Amino acid sequence: MGTASSPVSGKEGSFATQKVTKSLTLEWRLLFSLIFATIFYLQFFTDISLTSYSTNHDPWTGLASHCADAKPINGSEILQRQEKLAKSLYDHGASAYVAEPGANTQYFGNISEASWHLSERPLLLMISPTLEGDTVSAKITIITPAFEEARARLLSVPGINVAYVSWAEDEDPFTIALHALSAADGLIYVDGMMRNFIVDGLQKAAPGVRVITASPEITQLRERKSPAELDLLKCANEVTVLSIRAVQAQMYIGIRESEVRAMVDEALAAAGLVDRWALVLFGENAALPHGSGTDRVLGKTDFILIDAGGVLFGYHSDVTRTFMLRDSFIPPEHTTIWFDVQRAQTLAHAVAREGVNTSAVDKVARDWLDGRGYQGYFTHRLGHGIGLEDHEAPYLRGGSDDMIRTGHAFSNEPGVYIEGKVGVRLEDCFYINEGGEPIFLTQGVGGQAHSPLCP
């Protein structure tokens, strides 16, 4: 997320949205009136009104069941990942791929950072290609501190004949690691997030071998999601939207940001997500994309921004909604900003297809907002990849040469931030299906927000 632009002053004090407001035709004003009239009519005369939620004994009813049938990635899929990695290593003449607990070890070995915390004593996952006839297979080796070997063996690491090699406190773990490889020559790839002292240690132990960050062909294996991964991403993102809606139904004018933050956490916990987080910003606080650290009270003229997420079997959600309450009185110029941001999100979504450069998607949203008078007020990239990490490659940003491929998953989160006035951001993640088309991960619960009252 980028930093917000500097506060406006002087002639700019009227801020860019006044240009938009002055240019609104009578037809646009009539359209907005019809939209809000329809929204209020539906909410008064349907069974799923906000009031019906707020009077429910359990405000989080239904959240727990939404992902109840979700299952973690099974061992056979991880074995397939290992085989693909081994073939790529063989094709590139690499002896091994080495990683320490994190997203990549979780992807290739079911070892998450939560299951093995990093310390000065390295535990390493090494995957090396072995050739049997014409078949390349993956050899899996775990390098572990000797006194931790029993605990390391409790890790559920898929693989055929997984080898555990321990190093004593008076031994060099990197020398032990290289000796464990059947052939440590030419080239060793390491995880791009590997800590420097491990990379340096491996290089020192094998001066005749090149120890380098994994090539794009290796890193791209994790970028393109499988159907099982997409199912988890869909469920996590859907239930995050449902949680925000449930929180909206419990809110009232006069509530504090911290109280809403606690409510979001309760809702996400009820939904079954772990490693939960939430950013809650009212009114002008939302003009700083990541907040100002205050605990503001909600006023009648304030928009509410909630940016929240959590983890389901390792896979992340990331959703932002800017919305109002039924008894809010949002200034018309702020409502105009909301619909302009929604339009930017819609336009970007429409062009995000297989074969399109990621920078082109960012440009579509940015050009629309610039044309509406908000130049300089959309201060960060359009989106990021999402999966085993909340923010991962590739990114929807200007200057990128990355191409969109099937299986890619991104956030789409345009925003307008006018310091001291208002901030509006809308975020839904999407993926590229087998037909090369973008599909919102939140599509199962309605997709992108429809209006400021219906997040």
Side-chain angles (χ1 to χ4, degrees):
M1 189 70 71
T3 57
S5 55
S6 59
V8 292
S9 60
K11 291 184 179 180
E12 295 181 4
S14 59
F15 59 93
T17 53
Q18 289 186 346
K19 299 178 184 178
V20 178
T21 304
K22 290 178 181 178
S23 67
L24 283 175
T25 64
L26 181 60
E27 288 81 4
W28 271 105
R29 293 180 183 275
L30 178 59
L31 176 61
F32 287 140
S33 298
L34 288 173
I35 288 171
F36 282 107
T38 302
I39 291 167
F40 279 104
Y41 178 89
L42 289 173
Q43 289 191 321
F44 274 110
F45 295 101
T46 63
D47 291 331
I48 53 173
S49 68
L50 294 177
T51 303
S52 66
Y53 281 110
S54 62
T55 58
N56 198 312
H57 177 68
D58 180 4
W60 319 132
T61 297
L63 294 178
S65 62
H66 191 78
C67 295
D69 295 330
K71 291 179 172 50
I73 301 299
N74 61 42
S76 62
E77 180 162 328
I78 295 176
L79 289 175
Q80 293 172 16
R81 297 170 179 176
Q82 293 172 355
E83 294 302 315
K84 287 181 181 179
L85 174 58
K87 289 175 183 176
S88 187
L89 292 171
Y90 180 80
D91 291 342
H92 286 81
S95 301
Y97 171 81
V98 185
E100 59 176 336
N104 285 310
T105 55
Q106 186 168 1
Y107 185 80
F108 290 115
N110 197 39
I111 303 173
S112 67
E113 192 171 349
S115 65
W116 194 283
H117 294 290
L118 301 182
S119 77
E120 76 281 7
R121 297 182 176 98
L123 177 131
L124 303 176
L125 169 69
M126 300 198 306
I127 300 178
S128 52
T130 61
L131 186 63
E132 298 176 3
D134 294 330
T135 303
V136 177
S137 58
K139 176 186 175 184
I140 311 300
T141 306
I142 306 297
I143 305 299
T144 175
F147 78 98
E148 294 270 45
E149 182 176 350
R151 183 164 75 94
R153 288 180 178 273
L154 295 176
L155 296 170
S156 180
V157 181
I160 300 172
N161 299 321
V162 176
Y164 291 83
V165 177
S166 63
W167 55 275
E169 295 278 64
D170 59 350
E171 293 180 306
D172 177 33
F174 311 112
T175 300
I176 298 294
L178 291 170
H179 286 167
L181 294 175
S182 54
D185 53 10
L187 179 65
I188 292 176
Y189 282 135
V190 295
D191 178 4
M193 301 301 290
M194 183 87 80
R195 291 176 293 173
N196 286 338
F197 82 90
I198 296 177
V199 178
D200 292 343
L202 289 170
Q203 187 64 81
K204 182 179 178 181
V209 175
R210 285 192 303 149
V211 179
I212 62 174
T213 300
S215 67
E217 290 79 9
I218 302 296
T219 59
Q220 287 170 7
L221 292 175
R222 186 163 71 85
E223 290 178 6
R224 303 175 72 173
K225 275 62 180 181
S226 70
E229 291 180 287
L230 290 173
D231 284 345
L232 290 173
L233 286 169
K234 288 176 188 176
C235 205
N237 281 271
E238 287 172 0
V239 84
T240 301
V241 170
L242 295 177
S243 296
I244 292 173
R245 292 175 185 166
V247 168
Q248 180 197 30
Q250 307 305 312
M251 292 180 62
Y252 52 88
I253 302 301
I255 195 170
R256 288 191 172 275
E257 290 171 336
S258 60
E259 294 176 281
V260 176
R261 197 160 48 246
M263 293 167 70
V264 175
D265 186 69
E266 288 179 16
L268 294 174
L273 301 188
V274 299
D275 296 334
R276 302 173 300 275
W277 56 272
L279 178 68
V280 177
L281 303 170
F282 297 161
E284 70 275 8
N285 280 359
L288 299 178
H290 282 165
S292 61
T294 69
D295 190 15
R296 197 181 184 284
V297 171
L298 180 64
K300 288 183 74 71
T301 60
D302 293 334
F303 263 143
I304 302 141
L305 186 151
I306 296 180
D307 186 351
V311 177
L312 179 66
F313 294 123
Y315 287 82
H316 287 256
S317 67
D318 194 352
V319 174
T320 304
R321 291 290 186 266
T322 302
F323 59 92
M324 60 187 283
L325 304 184
R326 289 184 65 180
D327 50 352
S328 298
F329 187 78
I330 304 300
E333 60 268 27
H334 294 182
T335 303
T336 299
I337 294 173
W338 193 99
F339 281 101
D340 283 335
V341 170
Q342 185 207 40
R343 182 62 175 164
Q345 187 188 45
T346 301
L347 291 171
H349 184 73
V351 302
R353 302 176 63 89
E354 183 182 23
V356 173
N357 191 292
T358 55
S359 64
V361 184
D362 178 281
K363 187 175 187 300
V364 167
R366 204 167 300 280
D367 285 352
W368 164 258
L369 291 174
D370 285 354
R372 294 295 288 166
Y374 308 112
Q375 188 166 10
Y377 294 107
F378 178 20
T379 54
H380 54 77
R381 68 190 174 214
L382 179 65
H384 53 80
I386 190 167
L388 286 170
E389 295 176 282
D390 184 30
H391 290 198
E392 62 182 40
Y395 297 89
L396 301 178
R397 63 173 184 83
S400 171
D401 293 325
D402 292 328
M403 302 295 289
I404 295 176
R405 302 298 182 198
T406 58
H408 277 166
F410 302 94
S411 70
N412 177 353
E413 48 182 307
V416 167
Y417 312 95
I418 303 171
E419 288 190 21
K421 299 292 184 180
V422 64
V424 174
R425 180 167 69 254
L426 297 172
E427 176 185 16
D428 290 85
C429 294
F430 68 96
Y431 70 99
I432 305 300
N433 69 10
E434 287 300 314
E437 300 174 338
I439 306 292
F440 281 123
L441 289 169
T442 52
Q443 193 64 45
V445 292
Q448 65 187 141
H450 299 295
S451 78
L453 196 57
C454 299

